[in-house]
Amino acid sequence: MRVELRVNDAIPSLSVLDLVPVRHGQTSAQAVSAALDLVERADRLGYRRYWFAEHHNMPSVASTTPPVLIAAAAARTSRIRVGSGGVMLPNHSPLIVAEQFAALEALAPGRIDLGIGRAPGSDPVITQLLNRSGTTSDVSRFPDHVTDIMALTSPDGATVRFTSGSEYQVKATPSASGVPQVWLLGSSDYSAQLAASFGLPYVFANHFAGEGLDRALHLYRDQFVPNESGEGPRTFVTANVVAAPTADEAEERAVPQLRMMARLRTNKPLVPLETVEQAKADPFDAMAESIMASTRQKWFVGTGAEVQGQLAAFAAQHGVDEIMVSPVAGAYDGEGSEGRAQTLELIAAPAAVAA
């Protein structure tokens, strides 16, 4: 069954993806505090949702535990949906994930999104350390664990059947009055097809992958099978964004994160995020220059009006009415998170973001 989506408005609704960046000279406490200030600002500005990613053992990323950050963000906001972008299911027991998000749904009814991903979110060493903490999800059983989580968080819970024939009832919370909205995240054909087969909403990780977007969205829409909710396909895409009062400033603020991406792609040691001045003072080699230039072409960088126009065109091109922006603006020496806050401020108006 083929289902077509259309863009409802010229300007897409906007949401936020946060990796909680950590700069040179900045503590994790300062980075988390800045992120919580940012989610409050996003709530006031009318952004639709605010998601925290899961990454481990990275000097420049403090978003290691999305449920903890979501709880803190929910306590600081009143309207915006908060969630994970995403929980990396191979690292966790499905029951633990279900219990955590059932508790979050009880804390902020109707505002919790459970974005689930299949990648480990780190290197093989960290994956092994995570495995030592308990029984974790085998990647090959990812589809089973997604359905387990949906069953466990439902008011009826799930039924475990033993080989003896007896049954055991399991619930993520004793008396659920609502359930978190489950989204599947990915950057491959596999994730798009799985979301379609489950009738779940789907997010393409364009901020990270940048390739295969058109094919993934086509597969998702073409193969979508509605589940018991009866809802049609829902999808949006992510994007790296930097906005500033001038295009030159925006380009400068993009450099630290571009440098970090070049380090990742060339397997160089990772470091806390540089300031703009630090990044510009250290010469780039030819390979880094090439990677940065290629990566920059997939980002949305410019003045607020320019980026708004770019995002609207991007949403129309791919038939979505929502873009989740990752505000990757770097900081100048002596700044806090002004660059990231400025990005959200400049691209928010005049977009009217519905809850």
Side-chain angles (χ1 to χ4, degrees):
M1 177 178 66
R2 182 174 180 79
V3 184
E4 296 290 345
L5 297 186
R6 68 183 182 84
V7 178
N8 297 319
D9 301 295
I11 298 175
S13 295
L14 297 176
S15 296
V16 181
L17 175 66
D18 197 350
L19 277 66
V20 191
V22 182
R23 293 192 317 278
H24 276 282
Q26 189 180 36
T27 66
S28 295
Q30 291 170 328
V32 169
S33 177
L36 293 177
D37 288 344
L38 200 62
V39 74
E40 282 189 338
R41 188 181 299 261
D43 192 30
R44 292 194 301 270
L45 289 170
Y47 282 76
R48 177 175 285 177
R49 63 187 96 238
Y50 198 107
W51 287 4
F52 294 98
E54 177 185 339
H55 293 283
H56 301 279
N57 200 42
M58 297 181 70
S60 63
V61 175
S63 59
T64 56
T65 53
V68 174
L69 296 169
I70 293 165
R76 297 267 294 262
T77 56
S78 61
R79 179 202 56 80
I80 195 169
R81 296 187 67 89
V82 288
S84 57
V87 166
M88 298 294 103
L89 193 48
N91 299 335
H92 310 284
S93 158
L95 177 57
I96 293 298
V97 175
E99 288 179 333
Q100 289 172 339
F101 278 81
L104 289 168
E105 176 65 25
L107 286 170
R111 292 205 291 133
I112 301 299
D113 291 333
L114 170 51
I116 299 174
R118 193 167 64 106
S122 191
D123 57 66
V125 174
I126 298 302
T127 298
Q128 288 299 312
L129 291 174
L130 288 165
N131 287 347
R132 291 179 186 177
S133 65
T135 302
T136 58
S137 308
D138 186 339
V139 171
S140 65
R141 296 194 60 204
F142 180 74
D144 295 333
H145 292 312
V146 172
T147 57
D148 287 346
I149 288 173
M150 289 191 292
L152 288 164
T153 55
S154 71
D156 293 334
T159 300
V160 178
R161 291 178 175 85
F162 299 106
T163 55
S164 64
S166 59
E167 297 181 346
Y168 191 86
Q169 193 71 18
V170 184
K171 294 185 177 183
T173 192
S175 182
S177 57
V179 296
Q181 173 68 67
V182 176
W183 293 73
L184 284 193
L185 283 56
S187 57
S188 67
D189 294 353
Y190 174 88
S191 56
Q193 291 172 305
L194 186 64
S197 69
F198 285 167
L200 290 174
Y202 172 66
V203 182
F204 185 86
N206 181 70
H207 73 288
F208 177 76
E211 302 294 340
L213 170 59
D214 288 323
R215 176 173 170 80
L217 294 185
H218 171 77
L219 287 171
Y220 173 67
R221 291 163 177 162
D222 190 58
Q223 299 181 15
F224 187 86
V225 179
N227 58 29
E228 60 276 6
S229 73
E231 292 185 352
R234 294 177 60 194
T235 185
F236 61 80
V237 295
T238 60
N240 289 311
V241 173
V242 181
T246 68
D248 287 343
E249 180 185 331
E251 294 292 347
E252 285 195 331
R253 288 190 181 275
V255 173
Q257 192 65 45
L258 287 171
R259 289 253 298 179
M260 186 60 65
M261 296 304 296
R263 283 182 172 274
L264 279 169
R265 300 281 163 80
T266 55
N267 293 317
K268 290 186 177 179
L270 299 181
V271 297
L273 199 64
E274 298 166 309
T275 63
V276 172
E277 289 85 354
Q278 288 172 326
K280 292 173 66 178
D282 189 9
F284 311 147
D285 60 34
M287 181 173 290
E289 288 275 15
S290 175
I291 292 171
M292 291 170 62
S294 175
T295 302
R296 165 63 185 86
Q297 293 305 308
K298 301 180 178 70
W299 289 14
F300 300 83
V301 181
T303 65
E306 288 170 345
V307 173
Q308 282 180 347
Q310 294 166 10
L311 292 175
F314 185 62
Q317 177 184 352
H318 298 291
V320 298
D321 63 2
E322 180 176 350
I323 301 288
M324 177 167 275
V325 301
S326 179
V328 292
Y332 290 100
D333 287 345
E335 281 189 339
S337 60
E338 287 91 336
R340 299 210 306 147
Q342 178 177 255
T343 291
L344 296 192
E345 293 274 0
L346 289 173
I347 67 173
V353 184

